[in-house]
Amino acid sequence: MELTLIGKPGCHLCDDARDAVNRVVADFEQRHATASVSLTELNILDDAELATRYSEEIPVLLINGQVHNYWRIDEVRFTAALNNLAKG
């Protein structure tokens, strides 16, 4: 599973989202030892295309390239999405 967190430095919602993603992923990896999860963080200040597309929605969490959440990460919904993907 490929996770992408899009945000920018100094964004308190982005910091909260990072913390939520890290909590959920850590718990998920404990329960699904064989699942592979990678997390990439992208900064809208480094990419004009990302800034144009997502500047009003950051933080944005993508799962396998698809928008899952923006502004706030719903940890229950995020956990359910990972569990569904793990079932295949």
Side-chain angles (χ1 to χ4, degrees), residues 5-31:
L5 185 60
I6 302 169
K8 68 178 182 178
C11 166
H12 74 281
L13 290 177
C14 300
D15 295 338
D16 292 346
R18 182 180 308 103
D19 292 343
V21 167
N22 287 332
R23 275 191 302 275
V24 169
V25 168
D27 181 61
F28 176 80
E29 288 178 330
Q30 279 188 320
R31 292 181 293 108

Side-chain angles (χ1 to χ4, degrees), residues 1-86:
M1 287 172 247
E2 295 181 25
L3 307 178
T4 306
L5 185 60
I6 302 169
K8 68 178 182 178
C11 166
H12 74 281
L13 290 177
C14 300
D15 295 338
D16 292 346
R18 182 180 308 103
D19 292 343
V21 167
N22 287 332
R23 275 191 302 275
V24 169
V25 168
D27 181 61
F28 176 80
E29 288 178 330
Q30 279 188 320
R31 292 181 293 108
H32 298 86
T34 60
S36 175
V37 179
S38 67
L39 174 63
T40 301
E41 289 194 45
L42 300 176
N43 178 347
I44 64 167
L45 300 179
D46 295 335
D47 186 317
E49 184 179 328
L50 283 178
T52 299
R53 186 168 181 185
Y54 295 116
S55 65
E56 297 298 318
E57 297 175 336
I58 62 167
V60 177
L61 176 63
L62 308 178
I63 300 177
N64 294 334
Q66 300 297 314
V67 173
H68 174 72
N69 257 126
Y70 56 92
W71 295 329
R72 298 202 185 274
I73 304 302
D74 180 330
E75 292 185 41
V76 172
R77 182 171 173 262
F78 179 36
T79 298
L82 293 180
N83 287 332
N84 285 337
L85 287 172

